[in-house]
Amino acid sequence: MTLPWKQLLLLSIIDCLAECLDSGSFHGPRWRMEPGDLFIPVDSMEEEATLTCDAKGIPPPQYRWSLNGTLINLELDHRRRLSGGNLIIRSLDRYQDGGRYQCTAYNTIGAVLSRRASLQFAYLDHFKLHTRSAVSVREGQGVVLLCGTPTSSGDLSYSWVFNEYPYFVQQDNRRFVSQETGNLYIAKVEPSDVGNYTCVVMNSITKGKVHSSPTSLVLRKDGVMGEYEPKIEVHFPDTVPAAKGSVVTLECFALGNPVPEITWKRANGVPFPSKVKMKYSNAVLEIPSFQQDDTGGYECVAENKMGKNIATGRLAFHAKPQWIQTMRDTALAIEERLHWECRANGKPKPSYNWLKNGQVLITEERVYVDNGVLLISSLNLSDAGMYQCVAENKYGVIYFSTELMVLASSPDFTGNLLRALLKAKAGTIVTLECKPQAYPTASILWKKGNQPIHTNDRITNVTKYDAGSYTCFARNRFGTSSTTGRLLITDPTRITQGPVDMEIIVGESIVLPCQIACDPVLDVFFTWAFNGQLITKTDRHFELVGGRTAGDLMIRNIQLNHAGKYICVVDTDVESLSAVAILIVKGPPGPPDTVAVEEVTDSTAQLSWSRGRDNGSPITSYLIQTRTPFTVGWQRVDTVPEVIDGNTLTATVVDLNAWVEYEFRVVAKNSVGVGEPSPTSLQTRTEDAVPDAAPTDVGGGGGSRSELVVTWEPVPEELQNGESFGYIIAFRGLGEMTWTHVATSAPGASRYVYRNDSIAPFSPFHVKVGAYNSKGQGPFSPVVTIYSAEEEPSGMPGGVWARSVSASEIEVNWQALSFTPERVLGYEVVYWEDDTKPETMGKVRVPGSQTSVTVSGLGQNTQYFLTVSAFNTAGTGPFLPAINATTKKSPPGQPPLNVEWTLIGSQITIYWEPVVAMETESEVTGYQLSYRSLKHKEENMLLTNNSTAELTLVDNEDYVIHIRSLSEGGTCWLLFLPLRSDSSQAISNGLKSGDCGGQVI
């Protein structure tokens, strides 16, 4: 049918609005900051005042302001201007600018009103200038001095000056300054009260102070006032309104003689809560953070011995509105029904009002408003905009803003099309969702192929017959749209081989199978879960293996924490299947716990422990290990019983050393292996005992004249068995029967020297060494024979002579001592260059059977002095007179040069330039050639006085040849590398130097 032009125009506007609203492009104003109350001192009026107003919205909001309900025309007002949404007022006027301000933020979507904010001016006028009359009273009489507060705005505080500043009246039970009236009350006048009184008023906002004219207080001469009952001059009103959370202050003060005592109580008799405070001798009752529970009657009682008086009043609770139920931004289709409700608490109970775009909402047949409820029965486009619920009582007004969007569009499947291909398993329920976006809601028609069908989007127990193409048609008054998809019915998937429960040993690897049979058109995905957690590729122990129809899980190097429940999950396009297996992992036992040492002797320790985890395999036995400060690491120890079975949790450790601190630990064993050790026990010391180990390696000898030196290997600390450890040294001359005993208390001693002039040199002694400690004496070592100290040899060797062997060696010869009463162990040769060079001195020792030695490492062509003496353990004997010998000149430093050779068959002839010695070098006496095949170790040698040589080599082998020049000072050689016997060329190129420089081919 043909739509009228008005409806076509409306449809185009609706489509644009719907698109903008859906995309979030436009929204109405939202308050970011609303104006707050301002109280400005009058003396600051030359400054500017700023009332804040800031909202967000798209398009960005614009602003307007009203004062006391009248719109401010900013184009005509030169003192007021906008900055953003803020209203700035300059040249403030106390009479024109005071009042209630309200900001309106608006854009193309709608408008909202801000809270109402007051602008007030604080001031305090001066007292009128006039002389105040004196106040005349009798002594003992009560008096009230009036302040006469000047006109003001803002909170005031009062004080009184006595006679002159800064002597202020101090408030006590007799004097009170009311902060309500400003008056000074004196319950009973005393002579000390006579003087001048000045009222001081301060504005808490402006901080300004003003002083009244002084009032004189004088005493009458006609007698003293008698006693009388209290008269309450300061009391609170019959009803005091109090806001929630405020600080409430009640005043009560009475005149009287004697001075009355003030007390307070609640009319209902309930005690005051701890927050209530009494001040100024109970003249002030203060209730902070006033709440509903604090309401009710209050009584002030003033009492003296003449009687009492009571003032009563009631505290009434009030609270400005607070939201307890609000609305949300709402988007509804055209012709739908809107229901909004707002609720606020407050006292008195608030009344409600509704605004649309800042104006009072006009009710009509479609629009119903009642007590916070807004109903619109059938929405149209004109209902869109910003709405505000207003809750108000006499103590405040609050606003809540929300946006209403009215949507209208033809059906649209964008973003919610039917799936192009939907796969489903035979026998299941298939849901074909047809959910177009349409305002108002569209009617739905289904077709399978070209045939209309009746369905509610669900097809139950599907079969191959249900497969095909399905189209959903949607229609409303604004248009029609459709979407098409194809339904494919598949065969069910089956798990042909799933995982089974298994037991496995720690460290092994397994494969958990998960294999299926499925419809070939399906996409298949395998996942595994372990103890409820998805297994990911990041865990190096797990790997998914298999093809399209297999999702086996390989677990490598299984650990104890891999025990648990494994689930293979098979997901296809149409269904999800799973198979479960329980994996039990067996491993070596966990560590035993709570190892305790219960009883200790000098060689045993009774241990107990608690069982650790068996990790899937019963514990078969326990091993006990120990550690001391003297062992390297942990050592296994012997126990009783010798084999500790898995059900035994106590054992005795044996063969321990006495007086040693031990630590113990226990290791469990099962069929899998040996587990981790238990925590270490507390360190425990075995009891002490007599030493059971004797010193070892007893020997001695040597020392000085008349000394017997005894040595031994000390007993290790772990074998000393107790405190106060020491050694007993026993000795006797060979053939004697009586032992001499001496003791040393040094546990680390390894040597004892016995001195006695009667000891002959090198006399044999029987010696043994024992040990002792605080518990007693231990065993002695086996008896050994040692000798006392001997004397140095008294004779000198004869026939000493020396000859130079080379540039660095001298050979020394002598004749052995033929007879000497002392023992000769060997001979010592001492040599030096001259007496001015002590650093050149050296010595060489040889056994007594040797009568010559070659001294090496000497300087070339240098004279050395040498002498020989005999020695033994007592020292060296007398030296022979020194002889001298001079080393040879050094061998030539220049090796043979210009080496050449010819090779014919296996015969090689080598030529070189003769070496010419320098003046400081030894003359060349000949040449030595040594050569060997690289295949063999034996070396051949040839001596020649000429600078040429012939050698016979084996065919097809590589050789190394050395050429050495010979001289009295030594040899110098040339390395000839390498040479193949069947070639006229050297294998390597270049020449390399030998010991004395030279060439290598």
Side-chain angles (χ1 to χ4, degrees), residues 549-575:
T549 59
D552 300 344
L553 178 66
M554 176 179 284
I555 311 176
R556 293 188 176 90
N557 188 21
I558 286 182
Q559 302 300 306
L560 289 171
N561 59 359
H562 291 143
K565 182 178 181 181
Y566 287 81
I567 303 177
C568 172
V569 180
V570 182
D571 290 306
T572 70
D573 308 68
V574 299
E575 61 185 319

Side-chain angles (χ1 to χ4, degrees), residues 47 178 202 264 275 305 397 442 462 496 550 739 818:
E47 301 176 3
S178 171
M202 185 178 78
W264 293 82
K275 68 177 181 178
K305 68 179 183 178
V397 57
V462 295
T496 57
W739 291 90
S818 58

Side-chain angles (χ1 to χ4, degrees), residues 702-757:
S704 302
R705 182 189 295 273
S706 302
E707 288 183 348
L708 177 65
V709 179
V710 182
T711 61
W712 62 91
E713 183 69 26
V715 175
E717 185 178 349
E718 63 268 28
L719 300 179
Q720 294 176 3
N721 288 9
E723 296 181 300
S724 305
F725 184 83
Y727 299 98
I728 300 173
I729 301 97
F731 55 89
R732 66 184 180 187
L734 193 64
E736 296 180 0
M737 299 299 295
T738 304
W739 291 90
T740 299
H741 294 80
V742 294
T744 174
S745 60
S750 61
R751 186 173 185 268
Y752 177 77
V753 178
Y754 174 70
R755 295 180 179 84
N756 193 311
D757 292 340

Side-chain angles (χ1 to χ4, degrees), residues 495-499 511-517 524-529 535 543-554 567-570 579:
I495 295 179
T496 57
Q497 184 181 3
V511 173
L512 297 178
C514 188
Q515 300 177 10
I516 64 168
V524 183
F525 301 94
F526 293 91
T527 54
W528 283 83
I535 295 176
E543 182 182 357
L544 197 65
V545 296
R548 178 180 179 274
T549 59
D552 300 344
L553 178 66
M554 176 179 284
I567 303 177
C568 172
V569 180
V570 182

Side-chain angles (χ1 to χ4, degrees), residues 251-274:
E251 294 183 344
C252 183
F253 192 78
L255 311 182
N257 186 8
V259 174
E261 180 181 349
I262 306 295
T263 57
W264 293 82
K265 65 179 181 179
R266 297 187 66 169
N268 58 10
V270 176
F272 290 119
S274 59

Side-chain angles (χ1 to χ4, degrees), residues 970-987:
T971 64
C972 180
W973 54 271
L974 169 68
L975 181 62
F976 189 79
L977 281 178
L979 187 70
R980 184 175 294 276
S981 58
D982 60 349
S983 173
S984 60
Q985 299 292 326
I987 294 176

Side-chain angles (χ1 to χ4, degrees), residues 52 85 191 284 320 354 465 533-534 554 648 763 897 916 926:
T52 57
V284 174
K320 64 182 182 180
W354 286 88
Y465 174 79
Q533 298 295 319
L534 187 67
M554 176 179 284
T648 301
S763 299
L897 298 177
V916 178

